[in-house]
């Protein structure tokens, strides 16, 4: 599978030698002169020195411990002070693809990497239609990525965790239901309408004061794909006012969750608006509001992680609202079994029942 | 067994939702409207979210992740957005009893909980006879609780660890012996006299200057009960001066040691004086003096813990003064064996020989 | 084997009771009144209290928990409040020898300790010929000591890691080779010439400005002995100018690496110069320069350690320059096998292939 690995700006800011662990594999990312982005095992095959302390030279990366030079395929092409280079002097190189400013990495057998399998998110590349943050944002979670997937898979939590930020009221949990759950081989899609409600705080902050008292119908159309790609379309429109399309507003949201280790996660996200594109304050306000909500989630999710580590035998009890992520976890397990023979680098088993 | 769990003020200060781990079980304590104090497993049966991030509603506690409502028995009585509630939707509830401001919890089979088994300490509820701190105090130890029990079971350490604080001189170790060791099924009692000695520093600080040079007979009567309840009566009286009962002074001391985990301990204590009750400075001075002594102990005990973790095969060598805690550890092992079949939640085995 | 344990000044600064773990054994070092330096297991045989919290009394050390008094042989000779002392009341005592301000400890069978086996470094005791730091220096590494041995065993790293400090240019790696590798039963010796090169920065800082542009021949003669004793003689002389011996300059360097645990190391060192002995600025400048270089190494070595802990199956690929430390690691393994039956305290196996 393709995993979201890094925003392009992260590589640039790391002096073009970004050290990042994905699926418990330490990697280094650099941008080569003519071959695009490269990902290698971040340890020299000689003495395990980190290549991320190295130096980019054209298309190659030099280990700065004893000076070995690696090409983008991970092969050593120079050993200072020695002419012969053994055929085993190499590190693994991984397929990397950049889309919309996000680097995706294929952790499995390189022969099976197909860039069309990446769940692209077009709004990131459509600045004339969608305006997001100055640059995509990054958070680090001390939690297994599936706990974040769980969180996003059942929006009834919005009512309680985010009552005063993203949700707006606890009624959201009682009055709304996930609808039209579409089970996919590689994830699911689901829709959630909330009718006749006041604008939730994050939305209210970016619309004209004149609209603050107008009740809205709110619709979230969500897709969640393996391994942890969340794409959401959000719509607000005045209740029953089909004529008033000027007050119809839409957002686009992507959240990419990539396991760093079993217990930690890289989290990438952006939140884009489709109206009033020239007003830079809107993206700032949305980012602040969403971040406030994410921090509310993060407390819960990281505490869940701690409790699950203390209680490895915990067996969760499910109810109706859990259908979406139950399906997702099922598909994950099946995919792992399928890949078992060919993809030795994947995280294969989960030591805890829920994780 | 009943374990000291928390001072009532701790629950109040935690916004009435105190998260505390006891015997390696994460718990939440709250005060219900009409059913007194409640202790539940601190993880929602749904997705393991911590209930201590929840909200008390009357007698119940609501998980603020997806909104499940738990009654004091630990049963889910409401799932937002769903009518049916499965019979397995519950968490474990533990018997709790409050005495003298201290909450006691029964970690075993609820049917066998008998509040009369709690080792009550009456001075905590007799403000007309005994004056303690404004509120009972709490310390956290990075050490197995039995190492603290050991410490309190042999007062010869007072001579060396506390020569300048609680002891007064090293002579205490050479000249005094534990007397009248009474071995109990659930602990022991012991008496230690120190005759013809100058007032130790902590006592000297709270008596009139005119008495500073008067030699005293000092007697500590100590009881230690399973799992870690230490109760002590202390008497100071002028040597041989039976007529001078006005200078006879007594103290009462409780120290409750409760395992948080194998390697960490909750420590609760108070130190009460029986004279000059209206002088608030005495309790302040005693608390400062005792705390100074406890910190001297804590350094030793936490270093012991570290050394024992590094040296799991360490076999302690015993001598005469160890009879008290040898008996106590013996009773502890026997009690664990007895409870083995019925009390799966207890810490059953000790991975290290001494711990 | 003898391990470098501590500088004498470290014991003095620790109030003559230095706690230090060597080969995963917690020890206490103290200077007795008449029997020289003593090393004992740093845990009382009674309850595992640390003797380093004790009190030196003449030749003895008193545990300040319950007052047991230990003689330099580790035997308890006094138990306060008890007349009889059991024959098993003792801790292990280790042979210690002081040379040139450094304490050496023998971790094996005391009967086999022979002080002539210590790799003495005479310059430390020849202040009329060699001038070092005010006192020998100490660093702590979060890495297995063999990674530091590796580092010192192949000076080609000097070109890359220390290009701007100790090395001077990357040419050092391409143009120079280790010569005359002499394989010893207990280590190796090797020579490395660098001819016709500008003075490297650390040297340039301490020679007269008039010599800055004079090209030099540089020779490092290195010896590395088990378990981790590095001794180096460094010579700089003007190229081909045999007459100009006034500009010939020499240094002496010792680096002692002692395993604290499998993953951490005590590192002791000094760097001495043989000219201009009365100028105190030279030692200060050399220490600053070398320390700058050591910090460059430390980043690599501690990152290697982290990567190796993450990748326990990493199998290093070797090339020609690795002959020296390959031989050293081999000798280390053979020595461990030989000692296996008699030296139970040694670190016997390495859980990771490279460590």
């Amino acid at each position: 599978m393709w995993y979201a690995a890094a925003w392009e700006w992260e590589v640039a800011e790391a002096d073009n030698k970004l050290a990042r662990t994905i699926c418990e594999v330490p990697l280094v990312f650099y941008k080569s002169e003519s071959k695009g982005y490269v990902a290698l095992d971040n340890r020299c095959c000689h003495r395990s020195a980190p290549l991320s302390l190295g130096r980019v030279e054209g298309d190659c990366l030099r280990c700065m411990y004893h000076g070995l030079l690696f090409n983008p395929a991970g092969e050593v092409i120079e050993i200072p002070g020695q002419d012969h280079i053994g055929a085993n002097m190499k590190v693994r190189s991984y397929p990397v693809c950049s889309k919309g400013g996000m680097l995706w990495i294929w952790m499995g057998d390189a022969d099976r990497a197909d860039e069309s399998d990446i769940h692209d998110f077009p709004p990131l590349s459509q600045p004339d239609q969608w305006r997001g943050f100055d640059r995509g944002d990054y958070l680090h979670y001390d939690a297994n990525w599936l706990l974040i997937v769980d969180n996003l898979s059942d929006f009834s939590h919005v009512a309680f965790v985010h009552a005063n930020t993203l949700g707006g009221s606890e009624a959201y949990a009682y009055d709304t239901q996930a609808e039209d759950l579409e089970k996919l081989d590689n994830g699911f899609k689901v829709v959630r309408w909330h009718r006749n409600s006041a604008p939730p705080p994050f939305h209210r902050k970016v619309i004209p004061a004149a609209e603050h008292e107008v009740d809205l119908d709110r619709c979230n159309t969500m897709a969640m794909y393996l391994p942890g790609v969340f794409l959401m379309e959000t719509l607000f429109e005045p209740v029953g006012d089909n004529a008033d399309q000027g007050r119809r507003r839409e957002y686009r949201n992507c959240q990419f969750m990539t396991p760093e280790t079993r217990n930690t996660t890289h989290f990438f996200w952006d939140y884009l608006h489709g109206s009033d594109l020239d007003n830079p304050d809107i993206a700032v306000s949305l980012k602040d509001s969403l971040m406030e909500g994410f921090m509310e989630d993060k407390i819960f999710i990281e505490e869940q992680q701690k409790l699950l580590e203390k209680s490895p035998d915990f067996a969760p009890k499910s109810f109706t609202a859990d259908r979406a992520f139950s399906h997702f976890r099922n598909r994950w397990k099946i995919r792992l079994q399928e890949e078992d023979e060919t993809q030795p680098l994947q995280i294969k088993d989960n030591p805890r029942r829920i994780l």
Side-chain angles (χ1 to χ4, degrees), chain A:
Chain A
M1 275 176 280
W2 290 96
Y3 292 83
W7 294 108
E8 291 186 5
W9 64 260
E10 293 183 284
V11 178
E13 285 207 347
D15 196 22
N16 197 22
K17 303 167 303 185
L18 179 69
R20 175 154 289 169
T21 293
I22 291 180
C23 295
E24 310 208 327
V25 180
L27 301 167
V28 57
F29 293 84
Y30 72 95
K31 187 175 183 179
S32 68
E33 203 170 86
S34 70
K35 301 287 178 58
Y37 286 92
V38 176
L40 303 177
D41 274 338
N42 188 23
R43 56 170 187 232
C44 181
C45 57
H46 174 219
R47 303 303 292 168
S48 194
L51 298 182
S52 54
L53 291 180
R55 182 171 65 197
V56 178
E57 301 183 1
D59 286 343
C60 298
L61 182 62
R62 185 183 297 277
C63 176
M64 288 301 276
Y65 198 1
H66 297 98
L68 277 64
L69 187 66
F70 294 86
N71 70 14
E75 300 157 349
V76 175
I77 58 172
E78 181 179 302
I79 300 178
Q82 179 175 329
D83 291 334
H84 172 72
I85 299 174
N88 63 352
M89 296 300 283
K90 61 185 171 191
V91 298
R92 181 167 175 171
S93 173
Y94 299 79
V96 173
C97 175
S98 178
K99 285 206 180 185
M102 167 60 59
L103 300 187
W104 296 83
I105 187 169
W106 178 263
M107 296 300 291
D109 182 353
D111 294 340
R112 299 173 62 175
D114 178 349
E115 295 188 2
S116 68
D117 288 340
I118 296 175
H119 299 287
D120 196 18
F121 185 60
L124 286 177
S125 313
Q126 298 167 330
D128 53 326
Q129 287 176 262
W130 302 102
R131 177 66 43 91
F133 308 152
D134 281 349
R135 59 191 201 183
D137 201 41
Y138 173 85
L139 289 175
H140 185 268
Y141 270 75
D142 282 329
N144 182 290
W145 91 105
L146 286 172
L147 294 179
I148 314 174
V149 169
D150 287 353
N151 173 277
L152 291 166
S153 296
D154 178 8
F155 263 37
S156 72
H157 84 273
V158 172
F160 298 99
V161 179
H162 310 305
N164 302 314
T165 51
L166 310 183
S169 83
E170 295 186 9
Y172 187 84
Y174 295 90
D175 299 346
T176 76
Q177 292 284 346
E179 300 167 23
D180 302 327
L181 174 62
E182 184 183 348
K183 298 182 178 180
L184 310 172
D185 263 9
N186 63 346
F188 64 85
K189 290 184 183 174
V190 74
V191 176
R192 193 164 193 132
W193 278 95
H194 190 201
R195 300 183 191 276
N196 291 308
S197 64
F202 81 97
H203 182 57
R204 182 184 166 102
K205 284 182 187 168
V206 298
I207 54 177
E211 298 178 24
H212 286 184
E213 305 310 317
V214 179
D215 277 349
L216 302 173
D217 288 341
R218 173 186 187 177
C219 182
N220 285 323
T221 305
M222 300 167 261
M224 180 76 79
Y225 300 108
L226 295 175
V229 175
F230 178 75
L231 306 176
M232 180 166 73
E233 302 179 7
T234 296
L235 165 72
F236 289 99
E237 59 183 7
V239 174
D241 187 357
N242 289 325
D244 193 5
Q245 290 307 311
R247 293 179 175 180
R248 181 184 170 124
R249 301 243 159 55
E250 296 202 31
Y251 300 104
R252 293 294 181 270
N253 174 216
C254 63
Q255 302 183 36
F256 306 133
M257 291 141 279
T258 297
E260 178 183 49
T261 66
R262 284 176 193 284
N263 299 328
T264 57
T265 298
H266 302 294
F267 180 89
F268 310 91
W269 70 293
D270 205 340
Y271 199 90
L272 306 97
H273 55 285
S275 320
D276 216 355
L277 299 188
D278 296 332
N279 181 353
D281 296 340
I282 293 180
V284 172
S285 174
L286 289 170
K287 185 174 177 184
D288 285 350
S289 292
L290 270 289
M291 187 62 92
E292 195 181 353
F294 286 177
M295 290 301 111
E296 292 169 331
D297 283 327
K298 205 165 186 280
I299 289 171
F300 268 96
I301 291 168
E302 295 188 340
E303 287 295 323
Q304 276 184 294
Q305 176 73 30
K306 285 185 209 165
L307 286 170
L308 290 167
E309 291 184 17
K310 285 184 188 174
S311 312
D313 292 332
F314 175 74
K317 309 286 189 305
S318 292
F319 47 81
T320 314
D322 303 340
R323 281 179 307 148
F325 67 66
S326 293
H327 171 72
F328 187 86
R329 282 173 174 274
N330 246 347
R331 296 306 312 167
W332 172 253
K333 281 178 192 163
I334 290 166
R335 178 69 64 97
L336 285 187
Q337 285 161 5
E338 289 169 1
E339 296 196 349
D340 201 32
E341 291 143 34
T342 55
Q343 311 288 345
L345 275 177
Q346 305 288 343
I347 295 180
K348 281 175 196 152
D349 61 301
N350 273 302
R352 286 177 290 283
R353 290 185 191 168
I354 190 172
L355 294 185

